[in-house]
Amino acid sequence: MSSSIDKLKQKYEASRKYMLTHVEFTMILMSYPAILVSAADNRVSILEYILVNDTAIQQVKNYVNSDINTKDLEAFFLREIDFLVENIHDWEDQMLQGVKKLIETVPAFAKPIQELMQKTADVHHGTSDLEKRKIEAICNTLGLPLIN
């Protein structure tokens, strides 16, 4: 990880009062844009929780380690989604800069991040105007093209 991502990870760990592995923090960063999209309407549905959680777990298995303990990771990640949604205004800018740096470091992460944002927006039979605007803003911040 880059030094800016390491610094962000340390700040996040200090706020959570526990240490994270690089895998766990990478999973949080990769999922963060979708968390923002799911919260665009000021509420996160159970379907959005499930989609973001399941996709994050699958990404970890695909990119990092297929032998990871899925049950523990699911419980951990659901707690982190709750924390990030509750503290969205405290973390949004910093986390998006971390996601941007992650994509610069590992460009292959851009597509799954974009796809998860879109899937999250579409989970309730289509993307709302609030979700569209949020995706546009996130893509603009991350320097990513919009996908359809």
Side-chain angles (χ1 to χ4, degrees):
M1 270 194 218
S2 76
S3 64
S4 61
I5 294 175
D6 284 333
K7 287 178 186 172
L8 178 60
K9 179 179 173 285
Q10 290 169 0
K11 184 175 182 178
Y12 188 84
E13 288 170 334
S15 74
R16 299 299 283 145
K17 298 182 177 32
Y18 51 80
M19 303 295 287
L20 302 173
T21 67
H22 287 295
V23 170
E24 291 166 340
F25 195 66
T26 299
M27 184 173 84
I28 290 168
L29 287 177
M30 288 185 71
S31 302
Y32 191 73
I35 293 168
L36 290 175
V37 171
S38 69
D41 59 1
N42 294 319
R43 60 179 170 72
V44 180
S45 75
I46 190 68
L47 291 175
E48 291 166 331
Y49 268 107
I50 291 168
L51 176 65
V52 173
N53 188 57
D54 289 353
T55 303
I57 301 295
Q58 192 57 49
Q59 286 173 346
V60 169
K61 287 182 172 185
N62 290 344
Y63 289 104
V64 183
N65 183 350
S66 61
D67 296 329
I68 202 154
N69 183 334
T70 304
K71 293 285 185 208
D72 291 343
L73 201 53
E74 285 176 7
F76 157 78
F77 194 61
L78 287 173
R79 283 190 312 269
E80 298 315 302
I81 292 172
D82 280 340
F83 171 79
L84 289 166
V85 168
E86 289 173 16
N87 297 283
I88 208 159
H89 299 292
D90 297 332
W91 288 97
E92 184 170 357
D93 293 338
Q94 302 169 76
M95 293 297 275
L96 283 177
Q97 289 309 307
V99 174
K100 185 174 184 175
K101 191 63 174 175
L102 180 67
I103 291 170
E104 290 170 1
T105 306
V106 186
F109 286 168
K111 186 175 180 183
I113 289 169
Q114 288 174 297
E115 289 173 347
L116 182 54
M117 279 193 296
Q118 194 59 55
K119 284 179 188 175
T120 302
D122 289 341
V123 78
H124 291 291
H125 309 292
T127 304
S128 72
D129 287 339
L130 288 172
E131 291 166 331
K132 284 179 190 174
R133 286 194 300 271
K134 192 62 173 179
I135 290 170
E136 289 171 3
I138 293 168
C139 285
N140 185 49
T141 298
L142 300 179
L144 297 175
L146 292 172
I147 60 171
N148 296 322

